[in-house]
RNA sequence: GGGCGUGUAGCUCAGUUGGUCAGAGCACCUCGCUUACACCGAGGGGGUCGCCCGUUCGAGUCGGGCCGCGCCCACCA
C-alpha cells in the first residue's frame, strides 16, 4: 500500500475520500479471496437496495452498520464475502419506467426493434409498447441508477467487493429463481391453484399477504333488508359494501345467537336481485357487530373467503380484475332470480362501474326499492391496501402459483430459534408473523419486469389451455422466457394455436427472487465450490420492517431447498426518523440526499452518526451528530500527529507508571469493544472507544507532554513506546467506523492498509502493562487526573491561562492514594506547571491550589 | 384488540447483574490564542429518570397497573 511518507505539517480531512477510494480500488483492498478455507470466510447477505430512483438517508444508516461489521471481521483475519446486489425487478421499476418514459406495457403489442421512447413523456397518455420493449427500457433505466448507487456507496466507504455485484433481473438471478421453482414444483412444494386471491385493481396483479397494509379510510355502514321466504319475514344486515349484494351467497349468524333462531335454515332473498341465499351459522360471526347477521359475498374480504370455503358456498363473482363490475348472465345456473328481468335491469345500472361508482348507484336503487333502512352511517374503518397501491385490494378468483408455507410453520419457528438475532427481541416479530400466516405464499404476479415462470401449457384441440399438464423447462435451458422461448417438441408457429402451446404469462413476485439472495450471491448450482465456501452465510443485515417479507421468505426457501438456515445471525437495524419521530419520508429524504450529506460533512462524519445508532433502534436524523463525528476525525488526525511526529526513540518496554496504567485501561477498552462487536453491537464498541479516546487526549496526552518533548532519550523511551502502542490501537479500533481518516493516519507510519491490519489484541496490551493494577499504577493515573482536574478548575475560575504557574498544590487524600500519586507526580507537576506538590494524609479527597501571582 | 419496543437535562442519547447512576455530547454562559488540534482547550448552570402502586434497609435499575409514542399483527360485516 502506498505510504503517505510521514506526518504532514497540517493534517486535513480534505480529499481523503477521493484519495483512498481510488487507492483501495487499485489495490483491491476488499477483494474476497475464494481460495481461503471455509473456516476463514465470513459471508454477508447484503440487502440489494431497490433501484427505483434514489437512495435515502436510511440506506446510508443501515449499510454503514453492516460495513462496520464487515471491516471488523476482515481485521479479525477473515476473508469477508461482501457482495452488492441491485433489486431492480418488480413493480417499483415498472412504475418508474412508466413515468420516466411515458409508456405502458401492452403484451399484445409486437416487439419494435427500433423503438424510441417519446421525446416528451406524457403520463396522462402513455405510449403502449411491447413487453420486450418495456423490459429493455427497464434495463436501461436501472443500469443508470445502479451506477449512481455504486458511486454513493464508494463515497460512503463501503468495503464491498465490487467485482461481485448482481441484479435481481439478471440472468444469474433468473436461472437460480427458475431452477429453485422447478425443483419445488417437482417436490410438490410449489403448486398451481385457481382460488380467491388478493388482487390490486390498479396494477392488476395478485399480491401476497405480506405486501398488504391497513389504512384507515372513511366509509359508510348501510343497513339493508333481505326478505325471508318470499317476503314472509325479513332479515337486516349491516354492510359497508352494498355494491356486492349481487355477489351475496349466504347470510350468517353466530350459532349461539338466539335472536336469529327463526331465520337460520331458511332462505333469504337478496334485495334488488331476488336471488335465494341460505341463512346459516358460523362461529366467526360476531354477534356484537351490527345486527348480528352478516352477508357473505364472493368476495368482500378475507373473512368471506373463510366462510365460503368452510361452508361450501357457491361462487358468484361480480368484480373484474380492473375493479369494475362484470357482466353476469342473469337467469343461468348460479344467477337465478325470482324476477330475472328486474335483476338484469337493475344490475345493468351497476355493470361496468367501478366499486365506488357502483356503491353510490346501488344506494340510490336500494332507497328506491325501500330496502335501505335509514340513512348510511359514516364510519372509519381499516381497509386493506397493497402497500404500493392507491385503491383498496379486492379478492378475485384467478389461477396462481403458490409455495407451501402453512404446513412448514413448525420447522420455520424452529429455524427462527436457531438463528442468533441482534437484538434478540426481534425474534418475536418473526414468530408472530409465522404464527399469523393464514395461507400459502402466492408468488405469481401479472406483471412484466420480473422473472418469468419457466413453464408452458399445451393447448387442446379447441385451443383451451390445459393447465393440468404444464410443460416444464429443462434446467439446462434456463433462464427461459416462455413468452418468446419455445418448449421442446414444439415449433414457434404453434404458439397460441389449437394443439399447440402457450407460455405462462406471469412473472414471479419480487420476493420470490429476493428470497434467494444467498444462493444468487453465492452462485448456487453454478459455482458450487464458491457456494460451499459461503453458504450458509454468517449474517443477514436488514431492517425490522421486512422481517415478515425478506427474512421470512429467505428462511423458507433455504429450508425447502437445503433444510437449513441460510445464515447464523440476523443483524436488524432500525429506521432513520425525522426530528418529529416519524419515519423519514421520501420527500424529506430527497431534500437531504445522501450525496449532499457526504459532501457537507464527509463520509467519516456521516458514518459516525450512523454507527452511533443502536442495533434495531430507530434513530433521529441529526446533522449535529455528524459534526461531532467530524470533530472526532479531526482529533484523530491531530492526536496522531502529536504522538508520531518527530517522536524520540522508543524503549524496549513501557516503564513509567502512568504509561503502563494508560495501556492497562486501553487493554480493557479493546477487550470491551471486541466483545461488543462480536455481538454485533457496533454502536457501543464505538461509544466506549470514543469515550476513552477523548479522555486519553484530554488527560493522558497532556500529562505526558513534558516527557514526550524531553531531550534525554531515557526520559522519552517509555512514553514513545506507549504512544506508538496506543495510537496503533486507536487507529485500528476506529477503522471500522472512520475508514478514511484511520487509513490516512495509518499510512503516515505503517505499511499496508489499516483495513487489512489485525484487530488490536487486548492481551498483548495488557501484557505490556502487566502488574499495573497490583503496583498501584492504575490508581496513580486516576489520582493524578483528579488533581490535574482541580488545578485546571482553579486556573479557569481565576481566569488564568492553563499554563499559568502554580506556587503550591496541597492534596489531601488517603495514604494509599497519596502513595499512588507519588508515582505520577513528575508528570503532574509538569502538566500543571506546579512548583510545589504537598500531600497531606486525610480521609477525604480535597485539593487546594495556590496560583503564582500574575506577572504583568 | 394482540405482540414487540420505547418514554432519563432544551436536543440526541449512555446508564450490563438494584447501593457515588443522576451521566455524556450538542446547545447555552464564563474564561483561555498553552509548541497535536481555535474544526481547540478549561470551567459552569440545567433533570421530582412518563404516572401510580408494590418488593427492598435502599429502585431510572425488579414486579403490577395506567398514560404517551413507534413498529408489526388482527375477522374491512
Amino acid at each position: 500500500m502506498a505510504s503517505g511518507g510521514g506526518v504532514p505539517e497540517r493534517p486535513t480531512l480534505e480529499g481523503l475520500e477521493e484519495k483512498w477510494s481510488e487507492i483501495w480500488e487499485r489495490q483491491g483492498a476488499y477483494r474476497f479471496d475464494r481460495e481461503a478455507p471455509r473456516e476463514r470466510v465470513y459471508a454477508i447477505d447484503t440487502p440489494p437496495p431497490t433501484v427505483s430512483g434514489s437512495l435515502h438517508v436510511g440506506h446510508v444508516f443501515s449499510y454503514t452498520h453492516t460495513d462496520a461489521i464487515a471491516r471488523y471481521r476482515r481485521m479479525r483475519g477473515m476473508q469477508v464475502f461482501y457482495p452488492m446486489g441491485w433489486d431492480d425487478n418488480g413493480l417499483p421499476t415498472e412504475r418508474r419506467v412508466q413515468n420516466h418514459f411515458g409508456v405502458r406495457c401492452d403484451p399484445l403489442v409486437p416487439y419494435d426493434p427500433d423503438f424510441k421512447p417519446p421525446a416528451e413523456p406524457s403520463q396522462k397518455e402513455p405510449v403502449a409498447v411491447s413487453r420486450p420493449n418495456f423490459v429493455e427500457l427497464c434495463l436501461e433505466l436501472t443500469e443508470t441508477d445502479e451506477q449512481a448507487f455504486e458511486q454513493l456507496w464508494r463515497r460512503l466507504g463501503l468495503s464491498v467487493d465490487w467485482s461481485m455485484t448482481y441484479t435481481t433481473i439478471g440472468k444469474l438471478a433468473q436461472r437460480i429463481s427458475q431452477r429453485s421453482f422447478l425443483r419445488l414444483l417437482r417436490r410438490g412444494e410449489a403448486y398451481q391453484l385457481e382460488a380467491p386471491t388478493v388482487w390490486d385493481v390498479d396494477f392488476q396483479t395478485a399480491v401476497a399477504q405480506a405486501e398488504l397494509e391497513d389504512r384507515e379510510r372513511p366509509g359508510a355502514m348501510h343497513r339493508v333488508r333481505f326478505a325471508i321466504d318470499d317476503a314472509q319475514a325479513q332479515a337486516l344486515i349491516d354492510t359497508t359494501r352494498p355494491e356486492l349484494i349481487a355477489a351475496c351467497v349466504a347470510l350468517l349468524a353466530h350459532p349461539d345467537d338466539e335472536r336469529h333462531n327463526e331465520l337460520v335454515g331458511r332462505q333469504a332473498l337478496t334485495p334488488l336481485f331476488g336471488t335465494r341465499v341460505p341463512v346459516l351459522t358460523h362461529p366467526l360471526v360476531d354477534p356484537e357487530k351490527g345486527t348480528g347477521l352478516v352477508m357473505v359475498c364472493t368476495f368482500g374480504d378475507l373473512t368471506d373467503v373463510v366462510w365460503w370455503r368452510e361452508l361450501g358456498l357457491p361462487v358468484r363473482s361480480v368484480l373484474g380484475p380492473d375493479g369494475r363490475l362484470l357482466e353476469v348472465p342473469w337467469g343461468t345456473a348460479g344467477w337465478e332470480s325470482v324476477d330475472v328481468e328486474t335483476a338484469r335491469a337493475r344490475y345493468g345500472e351497476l355493470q361496468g362501474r367501478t366499486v365506488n361508482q357502483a356503491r353510490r348507484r346501488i344506494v340510490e336503487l336500494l332507497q328506491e326499492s325501500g330496502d335501505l333502512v335509514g340513512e348510511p352511517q359514516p364510519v372509519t374503518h381499516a381497509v386493506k391496501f397493497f402497500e404500493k397501491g392507491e385503491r383498496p385490494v379486492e379478492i378475485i378468483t384467478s389461477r396462481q402459483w403458490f409455495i407451501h408455507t402453512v404446513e412448514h410453520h413448525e420447522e420455520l419457528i424452529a429455524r427462527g430459534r436457531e438463528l442468533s438475532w441482534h437484538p434478540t427481541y426481534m425474534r418475536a416479530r418473526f414468530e408472530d408473523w409465522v404464527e399469523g400466516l393464514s395461507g400459502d405464499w402466492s408468488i405469481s404476479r401479472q406483471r412484466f419486469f420480473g422473472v418469468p415462470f419457466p413453464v408452458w401449457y399445451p393447448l387442446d384441440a379447441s385451443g383451451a389451455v390445459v393447465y393440468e399438464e404444464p410443460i416444464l423447462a429443462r434446467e439446462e435451458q434456463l433462464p427461459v422466457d416462455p413468452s418468446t422461448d419455445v418448449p421442446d417438441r414444439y415449433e414457434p408457429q404453434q404458439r397460441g394455436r389449437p394443439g399447440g402451446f402457450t407460455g405462462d404469462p406471469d412473472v414471479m413476485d419480487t420476493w420470490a427472487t429476493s428470497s434467494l439472495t444467498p444462493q444468487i450471491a453465492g452462485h448456487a448450482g453454478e459455482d458450487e465450490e464458491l457456494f460451499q465456501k459461503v453458504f450458509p452465510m454468517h449474517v443477514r443485515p436488514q431492517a425490522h420492517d421486512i422481517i415478515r417479507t425478506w427474512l421470512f421468505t429467505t428462511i423458507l426457501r433455504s429450508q425447502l431447498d437445503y433444510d437449513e438456515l441460510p445464515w447464523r445471525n440476523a443483524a436488524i437495524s432500525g429506521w432513520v426518523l425525522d426530528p418529529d419521530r416519524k419515519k423519514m419520508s421520501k420527500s424529506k429524504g430527497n431534500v437531504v440526499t445522501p450525496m449532499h450529506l457526504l459532501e457537507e460533512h464527509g463520509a467519516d462524519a456521516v458514518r459516525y452518526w450512523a454507527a452511533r445508532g443502536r442495533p434495531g433502534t430507530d434513530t433521529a436524523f441529526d446533522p449535529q451528530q455528524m459534526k461531532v463525528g467530524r470533530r472526532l476525525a479531526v482529533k484523530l488526525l491531530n492526536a496522531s500527529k502529536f504522538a508520531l511526529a518527530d517522536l524520540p526513540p522508543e524503549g524496549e518496554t513501557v516503564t513509567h507508571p502512568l504509561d503502563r496504567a494508560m495501556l492497562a485501561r486501553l487493554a480493557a477498552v479493546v477487550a470491551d469493544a471486541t466483545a461488543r462487536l462480536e455481538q454485533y453491537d457496533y454502536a457501543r464498541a464505538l461509544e466506549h472507544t470514543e469515550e476513552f479516546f477523548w479522555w486519553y487526549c484530554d488527560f493522558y496526552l497532556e500529562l505526558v507532554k513534558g516527557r514526550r518533548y524531553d531531550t534525554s532519550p531515557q526520559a522519552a523511551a517509555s512514553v514513545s513506546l506507549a504512544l506508538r502502542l496506543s495510537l496503533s490501537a486507536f487507529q485500528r479500533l476506529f477503522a471500522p467506523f472512520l475508514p478514511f481518516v484511520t487509513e490516512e493516519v495509518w499510512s503516515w507510519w505503517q505499511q499496508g492498509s489499516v483495513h487489512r491490519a489485525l484487530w488490536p489484541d487486548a492481551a498483548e496490551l495488557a501484557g505490556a502493562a502487566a502488574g499495573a493494577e497490583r503496583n498501584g499504577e492504575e490508581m496513580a493515573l486516576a489520582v493524578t487526573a483528579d488533581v490535574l482536574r482541580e488545578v485546571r478548575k482553579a486556573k479557569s475560575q481565576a481566569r488564568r491561562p492553563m499554563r499559568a504557574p502554580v506556587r503550591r498544590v496541597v492534596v489531601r487524600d488517603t495514604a494509599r492514594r497519596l502513595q499512588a500519586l507519588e508515582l505520577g507526580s513528575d508528570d503532574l507537576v509538569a502538566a500543571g506547571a506546579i512548583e510545589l506538590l504537598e500531600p497531606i494524609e486525610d480521609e477525604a479527597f480535597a485539593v487546594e491550589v495556590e496560583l503564582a501571582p500574575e506577572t504583568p
Side-chain angles (χ1 to χ4, degrees), chain A residues 46-51 84-93 139 142 146 165-178 449-452 479 508-518 520-521 550:
Chain A
T46 318
T50 304
V51 183
M84 181 61 67
W86 308 120
D87 188 14
D88 45 12
N89 79 33
L91 268 180
T93 299
L139 291 171
T142 52
E146 285 155 20
T165 56
Y166 65 87
T167 66
T168 59
I169 196 63
K171 296 272 189 243
L172 173 67
Q174 298 217 15
R175 278 200 303 276
I176 286 171
S177 301
Q178 293 185 336
F449 192 56
V451 178
M508 295 181 196
D509 169 21
T510 185
W511 295 113
T513 301
S514 299
S515 57
L516 298 172
T517 50
I520 297 168
W550 193 36

Side-chain angles (χ1 to χ4, degrees), chain A residues 2-79:
Chain A
S3 163
V7 182
E9 194 57 36
R10 294 200 65 82
T12 173
L13 297 177
E14 301 311 314
L16 293 189
E17 287 154 32
E18 293 78 359
K19 172 182 167 187
W20 288 110
S21 328
E22 199 264 322
I23 293 174
W24 291 334
E25 173 65 17
R26 201 171 63 232
Q27 312 258 350
Y30 308 122
R31 187 137 326 136
F32 173 67
D33 177 10
R34 57 179 292 160
E35 301 307 318
R38 161 89 188 161
E39 311 81 68
R40 284 194 49 230
V41 169
Y42 184 85
I44 300 172
D45 187 17
T46 318
T50 304
V51 183
S52 63
S54 56
L55 292 170
H56 53 79
V57 180
H59 288 109
V60 168
F61 182 67
S62 55
Y63 282 76
T64 297
H65 300 164
T66 306
D67 190 59
I69 297 293
R71 288 180 182 277
Y72 165 70
R73 294 288 168 180
R74 199 176 287 113
M75 293 175 76
R76 293 303 304 264
M78 303 298 276
Q79 277 300 321

Side-chain angles (χ1 to χ4, degrees), chain A residues 745-763:
Chain A
V745 294
W746 189 257
S747 74
W748 293 347
W749 66 308
Q750 301 278 3
Q751 292 300 308
S753 169
V754 69
H755 302 298
R756 286 284 185 180
L758 278 184
W759 186 251
D761 184 344

Side-chain angles (χ1 to χ4, degrees), chain A residues 598-661:
Chain A
L598 293 175
E599 283 164 0
E600 182 177 349
H601 302 282
D604 283 340
V606 174
R607 291 174 59 107
Y608 169 87
W609 158 73
R612 294 283 307 224
R614 293 280 173 281
T617 305
D618 296 343
T619 298
F621 176 71
D622 189 358
Q624 206 59 49
Q625 287 297 314
M626 298 173 198
K627 296 199 170 113
V628 175
R630 188 175 175 86
R631 245 192 292 269
L632 176 62
V634 170
K635 196 75 175 173
L636 191 58
L637 281 178
N638 288 313
S640 296
K641 179 189 166 194
F642 167 74
L644 301 173
D646 307 317
L647 192 62
E650 67 208 38
E652 295 282 312
T653 54
V654 182
T655 54
H656 194 281
L658 294 191
D659 298 339
R660 291 162 46 76

Side-chain angles (χ1 to χ4, degrees), chain A residues 66-340:
Chain A
T66 306
D67 190 59
I69 297 293
R71 288 180 182 277
Y72 165 70
R73 294 288 168 180
R74 199 176 287 113
M75 293 175 76
R76 293 303 304 264
M78 303 298 276
Q79 277 300 321
V80 176
F81 182 76
Y82 190 10
M84 181 61 67
W86 308 120
D87 188 14
D88 45 12
N89 79 33
L91 268 180
T93 299
E94 287 191 17
R95 194 156 51 174
R96 186 162 142 71
V97 164
Q98 286 167 7
N99 294 336
H100 185 86
F101 293 110
V103 297
R104 70 181 170 82
C105 182
D106 183 345
L108 300 178
V109 172
Y111 178 65
D112 174 2
D114 301 320
F115 174 77
K116 290 272 180 292
E120 288 179 25
S122 160
Q123 281 155 38
K124 287 238 165 83
E125 291 178 30
V127 176
V129 299
S130 74
R131 176 171 157 164
N133 284 118
F134 187 74
V135 168
E136 281 175 7
L137 292 176
C138 289
L139 291 171
E140 181 185 327
L141 194 62
T142 52
E143 168 108 27
T144 312
D145 287 344
E146 285 155 20
Q147 284 170 6
F149 280 27
E150 182 176 331
Q151 287 313 306
L152 181 71
W153 284 154
R154 285 177 181 273
R155 180 69 181 262
L156 183 63
L158 296 191
S159 58
V160 162
D161 182 343
W162 289 104
S163 69
M164 300 190 301
T165 56
Y166 65 87
T167 66
T168 59
I169 196 63
K171 296 272 189 243
L172 173 67
Q174 298 217 15
R175 278 200 303 276
I176 286 171
S177 301
Q178 293 185 336
R179 188 184 302 130
S180 173
F181 172 78
L182 289 173
R183 291 180 183 179
L184 290 177
L185 191 55
R186 291 211 176 83
R187 297 209 312 275
E189 294 289 2
Y191 63 95
Q192 197 179 32
L193 187 67
E194 180 154 13
T197 313
V198 181
W199 186 271
D200 185 275
V201 297
D202 287 317
F203 292 107
Q204 296 202 34
T205 178
V207 294
Q209 186 184 351
E211 296 170 294
L212 299 181
E213 63 185 26
D214 285 349
R215 295 183 199 163
E216 290 290 327
R217 281 292 180 275
M221 194 64 74
H222 308 74
R223 180 154 294 187
V224 177
R225 188 193 331 270
F226 280 59
I228 298 292
D229 284 352
D230 303 322
Q232 298 303 303
Q234 66 172 31
L236 296 178
I237 60 103
D238 281 355
T239 180
T240 55
R241 306 210 55 184
E243 73 276 13
L244 295 180
I245 286 172
C248 177
V249 291
L251 301 185
L252 297 184
H254 191 276
D256 303 333
D257 189 352
E258 297 180 354
R259 295 173 299 174
H260 306 295
N261 278 352
E262 299 242 333
L263 303 178
V264 172
R266 300 171 75 177
Q267 295 280 317
L269 280 183
T270 58
L272 302 179
F273 308 109
T275 302
R276 276 180 220 282
V277 295
V279 183
L280 304 170
T281 62
H282 192 281
L284 231 46
V285 177
D286 183 353
E288 302 297 315
K289 285 193 176 172
T291 61
L293 270 181
V294 58
M295 162 175 90
V296 184
C297 303
T298 53
F299 298 92
D301 63 36
L302 289 168
T303 319
D304 281 344
V305 178
V306 174
W307 285 324
W308 166 79
R309 191 192 308 126
E310 294 188 4
L311 296 171
L313 298 168
V315 177
R316 255 193 288 277
S317 295
V318 299
L319 267 181
D322 57 356
R324 292 176 182 271
L325 271 67
L326 293 165
E327 181 178 353
V328 302
W330 289 101
T332 66
W335 295 97
E336 298 87 354
S337 166
V338 294
D339 181 353
V340 171

